Each structure stands twice: as C-alpha cells, then as structure tokens.
Amino acid sequence: MSSLPVSAVLDPIITALQQAPQVLLHAPTGAGKSTWLPLKILESGIIPGKILLLEPRRLAAKSVAYRLAQQLNEQPGDTVGYRMRAETKISAATRLEVVTEGILTRMVQQDPELAEYGLVILDEFHERSLQADLALALLLDVQQGLREDLRLLIMSATLDNARLSPLLPDAPVIVSEGRSFPVARHYLPLASHERLDEGVARIVSRLMAENSGSMLLFLPGVAEITRIHHLLNGRLRDDIDVCPLYGALSLDQQQKAIHPAPTGRRKVVLATNIAETSLTIEGITLVVDSGLERSAQFDPRSGLTRLVTQRISQAAMTQRAGRAGRLEPGQCWHLFGKDQAERAAAQSEAEILQSDLSGLWLELLQWGCQDPAQLTWLDAPPAVALNVAQQLLASLGAVDEQGRLSALGHSMAQLGCEPRLAAMLVHADRQGSDALATAALLAAIIEEPPRGGQPDIDYWLSRPQPHWQRRARQLAQRLSRTSGQIDSSLAPWLLAEAFSDRIAERRGLDGRYLLANGLGASLSQDDALSRAAWLVAPQLLQGNHSPDARILLAISLDVSQLAARLPKKVKEQTAVEWDEEKGTLRAWRRWQVGRLVLKAQPQAKPADEDLQQALIDWIRGQGLQALSWSVPAEQLRIRLSCAAKWLPESDWPAVDSQSLLDSLEQWLLPSLNGVRSLRALQQVDLHDALLRLLNWNQRQRLDANLPTHYTVPTGSRLPIRYHSDQPPTLSVRLQEMFGEQRSPMLAEGRVAVVLELLSPAHRPLQITRDLAAFWQGSYREVQKEMKGRYPKHPWPDNPAEAAPTRRVKKYS
C-alpha cells in the first residue's frame, strides 16, 4: 500500500494539516486518498481526537470502511467504523469513522464543536452534492466561531481549484499526480435509428469478443442496467460474468461487481455514474461510456423533481476513461462523436443549484441562520428555490411568523430526514406508538421506494423489506422508546398530514388525477389503484414529455372522513363566481382541500363584499377588455400615460394593463356596489373610477398641462385627442385658427399639439406641428385652391393677423 501514488505527498499533507485549518488535496481516482491516507494521518498522531471521513455515497462509504479495516486486520466497528442511514458500526475503540453526508450534518447539528474530533475529511468533493456543500458551509462556520483547532481536508479527483482557492485563500493546495497507464480513447457513435439498449448490447458483445480483460460499462440509470443485462444474457461467452452495480443492490451483489473476477473468468460491470470516482473496481482494462447520466432536477414552480437524462461533462468523460488505465494500458469507447465531447460542459453543475432546498433550509434554521449569506458557499443557494422551501416549511408548521423554527420545527429538525416526513413523524408521535410505528415505516418506504412495479403503499406496508424495518426502528427511536404495531388504516391520514397538497381526485377513467395543488398526475390505467376515487400521492415524478406527473407511490383515501380526521387541512369558504352562461354572479359555500372541492352548497344571499370581490377576481381573469371603456375613460388613461412621459418629475400612477389589474381594489371596487350582472358592469363609469388613482394636486396638474379640450380663437372648445405612441392632435376648421400665431403647446410648453386643419366641409387640408411655418409657407397653396372651391369663406392673405370666424363672409 505504501507504493500508492498519494504516499509521495504524505509528508506535505501532514505538515499542511499541522499549519493550516483547511487543506486542499487533488488526487486522481486510485491514488489511495480514501483507502490509505486516512489511516496514515491517524497513525501520525498529529490529530488530537478522532477523524471523520465523509463519503458522499453509501455504497462507497461501506466499501471504504471495509478496506481501511482490512489493512488493520480488523472488522468495521473496531479502529475503523462507519455510520450511515439505518446502519452503524462503531465502538468505544473507533478512532476513524466513515460517514455519509446526511449523518455528518446531523452530527454537526447535535454537537457544533465536534468535541471528539480533530479532523474532518471531505472526500470526492468534486461531485458537489448538496449535503457536501452544506457540510462545508457549516464546518467553516464551526472553525470561525467555535473550533480554531479543527482541521478540514478537502479531497477530490478533479478539484476545482479556480473556485475553491478564492473561497479558501489560505488553504495549501497539494497535488498527487496519481498513477495510471495510457488509455486509448475511441469515439463510436450509435446509429441514429438504434435504441440505446440494443446498440450498447451489440457493441459490448463485439468488444468483449475482440478484446481480453474485464469491462466497465457506464449507463444512465438502473432501468438501462436491467434491460441491457437481460439483452447480454446468451450473447457473451460462458466465462464472462455480467455484474450490475448500483446503490440499491445487496452487499454481496455489490462486492461481486467490485472485486476481481475469479481466476479464469472475466466480467462486465454495468454501473451508473457511482463508478466514476467513488469506488475502486478491480481488474478493469476496458471501458464503454454511454456518455449519459440521470440527474434529478427540482422544478420550483411545481414543487416536483424531474429525472433528466443528459450528456455528462468533459470532466466525467475523463474520469470514466481513466478507469481503464488503473492496472495496465487500457481502452475506452465513448458512444458519441468527438464533436459532441468537445461541446460538453467542462464540469457538472452543482446539486445545490438544481435541488429541492426545503431540507437545507430546515438545517440552516436549526443552525440559527436565517440568512444564507451569513455562511460561506461555493455556490449560493438560489433565491427562487429557497423561497419555495420557506413556503413549504411554513405550510408544515415548522416556522413561526418571524420565520424562525417553531416547537414543531425543532422536533422535525432532530430527525435528520426530509421535512415532510419529519412533520409526519412528529404528528404521529403525538397520536401514539402505533401511529409512530406506521409513520416510521412509511417514511422508510418513501426514502427508499421499491423499484418499479406496485405503486400501492398498502401493498408494501404488509411486505416490509428488512432495510425499511431497520430504518423505521431508527426513526421511531429518535422520538419514543415505546414500540408500536403497524396499523395500515392510519397510513392515509398520516400521509395526508404531510402531503395535503398531493391529495388527488380522479378525473375520468384513464388513470388521470387532479392534485390539491392544481397539478395533474397519472397512474397506469391497468393499475388497480387507478380505480380509487381519491388518493394521497407522496411520491411523484415530473414528466419530461407529459404535463401530468407520474404517481410512483400512493394510497387510497376515504375523502368523506377528511374533514373530521384533518380539520386544519380542509378550508371552508364562501366563493362568489361569475356564471359565464347567464352573465351574472352566483355564490357557493365550499369545503376544499387546496383546489379540490369536497362539498359545495349554493348560497342565496351572499354579502355585497363577497360579490364585489368575485367581480374583481373575474375581471382579473378576463383582463381589462371585459370592461366597457368609453372614449373619456380611454382618453384619461392615455393622458396619464403621457403625463408619466412628459412630466416625469411628478409621481403619476401606472396605468398599464397589469398595474390596473393589480390595483382594481383601489380604483374600481368602489364603483361595483350593487353590480350583479354583466349589463350593470358595462354601465360602470370607468372615467370616474380611474380618477380615484389621482389626488387633488395630481388632478389639477393633469387638467392644466394635459387638458381634454383646447379653446381656439373663435371661442370654440374642441377636444384634444391623445395617443399612446403619437403626439396629441386637435382637429379644427382652418378659419377658426386665424389670428393664432403658433401651435398650441402642452406639458408646460414641452409638447406641441399636431393641428389637423379642416376645410369648411370638415375635410383635412393640412396637418402641422408648426402653425407659424404653415401660415408663411404652404398656406399659399391651400388659399389658391380653396378660394375657388369655397368663395363664400374668407381666405385672407395674412391669416396670422386676420380675425377668426366660424361663419361665411356675409355673416362675418
């Protein structure tokens, strides 16, 4: 083991840990940074207290713990132990603990000083998991405020020093060159018409026949692993074993994939991206890379997660290819074109940027942090996702009006599980031991749902798997020492408490449902559960090509008992709605859970306020075109818009469509008293209503500077037409403007009125913004033409000095 590449930098690492609070180590996969270095640091004696080694994946954590213990000729639980969800092996003798991410966060929350530990090692940090980013933020806070002597070693196969070094400017950076043999990289795109499963199985069969050695095949997910495993059966030689590798497999199955093939045999390991860096897989000289990975991406708008199959980053391609050169020169076939590889992103996106942050926000509140900016982040949590998280915690009762943890929230935070499940467990504990036992098993099933097949939770409650039972006992014991019995009749109500927005009502006979949050969801029509009129669906997956979410786990619900069982989830309200057919208002008293109506009764005499608010809601839905806009009302709205442009020093009300819809209560609501029909609504004076947006001073200034009318020299008071995108216009007979020296000006002399000068027959003769220039110029042409056509009307040679008139010559 001392020949491992990382051994060459052991002394610099030891020195750095003695001198600096944080140390960055860049060591390629296989350098020994996980399976050798922690023991050497422990043996050096430089660390007072225990060492915590964080591994992002449970499969890797257990594998690393076993390899470390094996070097000491011990079993896990002696000098080296591990902690992960539902499984712990430590003892009083344990000095090096391998833990998974959620466990580390929980340990820091329970003991912020980490009093028993002198060093925390964050392994595989390049994976940038949400929990690793949170752990780093909390640990840096611990160092700054509580433990100056606590040491942090951040290890990665592809350490992003350009990002980490500015974040930790005083941290020494140590690089282990690693040891690998050359890998020939080939690009072998699948045919465009070929299914991924068939194409991969065909290529793997050919390559295994043409080459010696064992192969590691990277696939996006478990579904592809299962299908290709089936396709390879019978296509490979008898001396080749096919070994799937993913987190949900048993330890024996995982070890078969990780350990070398027996003498005289070869193997093909079918793995997800778990095998990129977290695990050492023995005996691999061939790699086939599908170039795909499956990523969970949270949609803040729906509150659901979508599984996206996407191209991997260039860093991941390099990691995958490198797996072929660990023992001897190897080969890697990328199943895509070289041009696609060159266009790929350099690094994968951090999980914190695309995840549900409700669990993170609960952790931050427990830490006493209400502003994420108080902590140090490599990537700050996105504000939109944090806002959704805050809303969810509020709906669960986890926070008070000031946004701090409530008593319920404190109890939830102690459990170390997703907020909805934590809320369900705390509520169940208050109902008794049987409710708690049932809720704990439900939580275990939802945390690690069964793969494929039966979505009915009732089915699984009666067939609990051993790992669910272990996790359920662990969760229940965190709340109570009393053990209870599973009572499946309680399950729908326990789930409805935490997932009330995912109560679902059937809509049709094709397996489609409407959720209380307004989203659509669906089950297969063939599934027996699709015959249930009402469900609670705690696990949903946002569809990639369908507007409906896919229901992965659900349980039927007797909705007639909902109001009695969960009265706080059912809202009783009087709703007044517009009847489109009759053009009138109707009132209903409804009992609802979210957007789903449990019961409705018509109301004979609703209150005026309810009617008026219903009208306002209807107008908002229809838009301003639903109102009857008179010319004066339209002109007032345009004048206000023009005032904002021409007199910007004054604070004019916004009159764009959205602003007017947002402020309906201010300007329109007082005019709706007694309005109960479309006919009455169309008679509302919108001009008077809009004036409510103005105070007395604003009205005076508007009328003075943007008047509705202009008095011409004859005394006629003529309307000014205002336009949103053109200058104001005044239509006036030419003779009525005699004696006027120049065009009228508005807005304190800033805007000239466009004059539309008319003939005696009210037909346009000239359009001008400069009356003085017209009198001196083109008026001569107009005079010459009009004298013969209208001889009874005056056409003076000097119109700027002539007397204005509305009459013909004999009356002038």
Side-chain angles (χ1 to χ4, degrees):
M1 296 292 287
S2 61
S3 64
L4 286 166
V6 78
S7 65
V9 293
L10 176 61
D11 290 342
I13 292 170
I14 297 293
T15 302
L17 287 172
Q18 289 175 298
Q19 298 173 350
Q22 303 106 20
V23 177
L24 305 179
L25 172 61
H26 178 195
T29 303
K33 63 181 183 300
S34 309
T35 56
W36 182 81
L37 179 62
L39 282 179
K40 291 302 170 184
I41 296 174
L42 184 66
E43 290 172 6
S44 73
I46 65 164
I47 301 299
K50 303 178 186 178
I51 296 175
L52 273 175
L53 170 60
L54 172 72
E55 288 292 337
R57 304 170 188 267
R58 281 183 291 164
L59 177 55
K62 185 177 286 190
S63 177
V64 165
Y66 271 90
R67 292 190 62 151
L68 289 167
Q70 188 178 38
Q71 293 169 58
L72 300 174
N73 294 316
E74 296 177 354
Q75 288 296 312
D78 295 331
T79 305
V80 178
Y82 64 81
R83 303 183 196 225
M84 60 187 66
R85 187 164 67 195
E87 191 174 355
T88 298
K89 284 196 176 182
I90 59 170
S91 68
T94 303
R95 296 172 58 215
L96 170 57
E97 295 182 21
V98 185
V99 299
T100 49
E101 293 171 328
I103 301 297
L104 174 61
T105 304
R106 194 157 172 270
M107 292 172 72
V108 176
Q109 292 279 21
Q110 291 176 343
D111 176 17
E113 293 188 3
L114 287 175
E116 295 182 13
Y117 303 90
L119 169 66
V120 179
I121 303 174
L122 304 181
D123 195 15
E124 308 293 2
F125 193 78
H126 64 274
E127 293 190 8
R128 293 297 312 283
S129 67
L130 173 63
Q131 285 291 330
D133 276 16
L134 173 61
L136 178 61
L138 296 183
L139 289 167
L140 291 175
D141 203 35
V142 168
Q143 284 185 321
Q144 291 167 13
L146 297 171
R147 285 280 311 277
E148 291 184 358
D149 63 320
L150 182 67
R151 293 294 183 256
L152 264 182
L153 174 58
I154 303 171
M155 306 195 304
S156 173
T158 57
L159 204 60
D160 191 354
N161 290 335
R163 303 283 309 285
L164 270 168
S165 292
L167 189 75
L168 306 171
D170 299 324
V173 179
I174 298 169
V175 177
S176 168
E177 296 300 334
R179 180 184 63 210
S180 62
F181 294 89
V183 175
R185 295 174 68 172
H186 315 283
Y187 294 92
L188 188 63
L190 296 175
S192 58
H193 64 274
E194 195 169 28
R195 286 174 52 91
L196 174 72
D197 304 348
E198 287 288 348
V200 170
R202 174 180 57 79
I203 288 171
V204 167
S205 301
R206 176 170 64 83
L207 293 177
M208 289 301 288
E210 296 173 353
N211 296 274
S212 59
S214 290
M215 175 184 288
L216 174 56
L217 167 60
F218 285 100
L219 294 166
V222 176
E224 290 82 1
I225 287 175
T226 303
R227 290 197 295 268
I228 291 172
H229 189 176
H230 177 73
L231 288 171
L232 288 175
N233 284 336
R235 294 195 186 188
L236 300 176
R237 287 171 39 177
D238 292 341
D239 63 344
I240 299 175
D241 299 320
V242 180
C243 307
L245 180 61
Y246 51 87
L249 292 173
S250 68
L251 181 60
D252 287 344
Q253 291 172 302
Q254 293 169 1
Q255 294 300 324
K256 182 180 179 183
I258 293 169
H259 290 159
T263 304
R265 300 192 65 78
R266 303 159 67 199
K267 66 179 178 179
V268 176
V269 178
L270 280 56
T272 60
N273 56 5
I274 192 174
E276 281 176 20
T277 58
S278 297
L279 293 170
T280 297
I281 301 174
E282 308 278 355
I284 299 297
T285 57
L286 311 173
V287 166
V288 173
D289 171 21
S290 69
L292 300 172
E293 65 180 354
R294 192 146 295 136
S295 170
Q297 298 184 359
F298 180 68
D299 181 356
R301 292 171 298 178
S302 67
L304 299 179
T305 294
R306 174 185 280 109
L307 282 182
V308 178
T309 302
Q310 60 189 16
R311 289 280 170 197
I312 59 173
S313 66
Q314 293 183 23
M317 293 174 197
T318 302
Q319 287 294 322
R320 292 182 176 189
R323 285 298 189 168
R326 295 283 298 281
L327 301 174
E328 58 185 84
Q331 297 188 77
C332 172
W333 290 267
H334 298 290
L335 303 186
F336 45 87
K338 190 172 184 180
D339 57 331
Q340 287 179 304
E342 292 169 348
R343 292 197 301 269
Q347 300 281 343
S348 301
E349 188 171 51
E351 200 176 75
I352 199 170
L353 300 177
Q354 54 190 21
S355 293
D356 176 2
L357 299 185
S358 58
L360 177 132
W361 187 242
L362 184 63
E363 296 286 359
L364 292 184
L365 292 178
Q366 186 187 10
W367 192 247
C369 172
Q370 286 189 276
D371 180 4
Q374 295 171 345
L375 299 177
T376 303
W377 303 94
L378 204 53
D379 286 291
V384 174
L386 274 179
N387 185 50
V388 172
Q390 290 160 358
Q391 292 174 15
L392 175 62
L393 292 190
S395 72
L396 294 172
V399 294
D400 59 22
E401 293 179 359
Q402 286 73 44
R404 296 187 295 261
L405 281 185
S406 63
L408 172 64
H410 279 291
S411 298
M412 289 167 55
Q414 303 301 317
L415 293 174
C417 58
E418 191 268 328
R420 288 181 188 266
L421 302 180
M424 176 178 70
L425 288 163
V426 175
H427 284 294
D429 184 39
R430 296 172 181 175
Q431 297 173 42
S433 57
D434 287 355
L436 178 58
T438 307
L441 182 56
L442 287 170
I445 292 171
I446 292 168
E447 283 181 340
E448 289 194 59
R451 291 188 176 273
Q454 178 60 257
D456 191 346
I457 294 173
D458 247 341
Y459 174 88
W460 297 109
L461 283 173
S462 61
R463 297 165 177 80
Q465 305 299 304
H467 64 285
W468 291 339
Q469 292 174 316
R470 286 196 303 272
R471 175 61 169 164
R473 282 194 298 272
Q474 183 186 64
L475 290 171
Q477 286 167 4
R478 289 177 184 172
L479 285 165
S480 173
R481 294 182 180 179
T482 307
S483 59
Q485 300 297 314
I486 305 300
D487 184 348
S488 59
S489 68
L490 298 174
W493 312 112
L494 293 168
L495 291 169
E497 180 73 58
F499 297 90
S500 61
D501 57 325
R502 298 184 188 177
I503 293 174
E505 181 182 17
R506 190 176 60 191
R507 48 175 181 175
L509 300 176
D510 57 354
R512 301 181 70 222
Y513 286 79
L514 180 65
L515 301 172
N517 60 16
L519 298 174
S522 63
L523 277 167
S524 168
Q525 301 180 57
D526 302 330
D527 198 293
L529 195 58
S530 68
R531 292 193 285 273
W534 291 79
L535 301 172
V536 188
Q539 195 186 36
L540 299 160
L541 186 64
Q542 184 72 62
N544 290 319
H545 307 293
S546 167
D548 286 351
R550 188 154 54 96
I551 297 174
L552 302 181
L553 282 177
I555 195 167
S556 61
L557 181 79
D558 180 359
V559 78
S560 66
Q561 297 184 46
L562 186 61
R565 290 269 196 166
L566 300 174
K568 291 182 180 179
K569 300 297 182 184
V570 177
K571 304 297 182 187
E572 181 183 340
Q573 59 186 16
T574 299
V576 183
E577 295 169 350
W578 194 263
D579 187 323
E580 293 282 358
E581 276 188 38
K582 298 181 179 177
T584 188
L585 291 166
R586 296 187 67 190
W588 295 87
R589 188 181 183 193
R590 288 202 178 102
W591 289 262
Q592 292 184 222
V593 55
R595 298 193 187 182
L596 303 178
V597 178
L598 307 179
K599 187 171 70 169
Q601 293 177 346
Q603 296 288 98
K605 293 183 178 180
D608 284 344
E609 305 83 60
D610 292 335
L611 288 171
Q612 291 166 13
Q613 189 57 51
L615 264 177
I616 292 290
D617 294 342
W618 181 79
I619 293 165
R620 280 206 175 102
Q622 297 293 313
L624 292 176
Q625 67 272 15
L627 300 171
S628 182
W629 289 87
S630 63
V631 172
E634 283 278 16
Q635 281 290 292
L636 174 56
R637 185 179 172 193
I638 296 172
R639 286 166 66 208
L640 287 169
S641 177
C642 291
K645 288 186 287 186
W646 301 339
L647 302 169
E649 65 276 7
S650 292
D651 186 20
W652 301 99
V655 290
D656 60 280
S657 294
Q658 191 56 55
S659 296
L660 287 180
L661 288 171
D662 290 343
S663 61
L664 286 172
E665 282 83 0
Q666 180 185 351
W667 64 274
L668 184 60
L669 186 61
S671 297
L672 298 182
N673 192 26
V675 174
R676 291 172 177 260
S677 67
L678 184 59
R679 184 175 179 182
L681 179 62
Q682 291 172 342
Q683 292 172 354
V684 169
D685 188 334
L686 298 183
H687 176 272
D688 286 353
L690 281 177
L691 286 175
R692 294 190 183 98
L693 293 171
L694 302 173
N695 59 35
W696 188 86
N697 288 331
Q698 288 173 319
R699 289 194 195 188
Q700 295 300 307
R701 189 159 195 224
L702 183 70
D703 289 342
N705 291 287
L706 283 82
T708 59
H709 291 74
Y710 180 76
T711 302
V712 296
T714 59
S716 296
R717 188 168 176 269
L718 302 177
I720 300 172
R721 300 193 306 278
Y722 291 86
H723 311 277
S724 58
D725 54 353
Q726 297 175 15
T729 307
L730 177 71
S731 295
V732 56
R733 285 189 298 177
L734 186 145
Q735 280 78 10
E736 294 200 61
M737 293 302 290
F738 290 162
E740 190 83 330
Q741 300 291 326
R742 54 185 174 272
S743 295
M745 301 295 291
L746 303 179
E748 299 179 350
R750 303 176 196 180
V751 178
V753 174
V754 173
L755 292 172
E756 186 181 43
L757 299 172
L758 307 176
S759 72
H762 291 275
R763 290 178 182 162
L765 294 174
Q766 184 75 20
I767 295 175
T768 181
R769 297 180 66 174
D770 189 344
L771 184 62
F774 169 68
W775 288 146
Q776 294 171 11
S778 56
Y779 170 73
R780 303 301 169 197
E781 297 296 323
V782 172
Q783 179 192 37
K784 187 186 301 182
E785 183 180 347
M786 291 297 108
K787 261 187 174 181
R789 190 175 298 178
Y790 299 103
K792 293 182 179 181
H793 291 75
W795 303 97
D797 292 334
N798 187 4
E801 302 292 338
T805 181
R806 286 178 288 197
R807 301 168 180 259
V808 294
K809 285 180 182 177
K810 64 180 180 178
Y811 294 115
S812 60

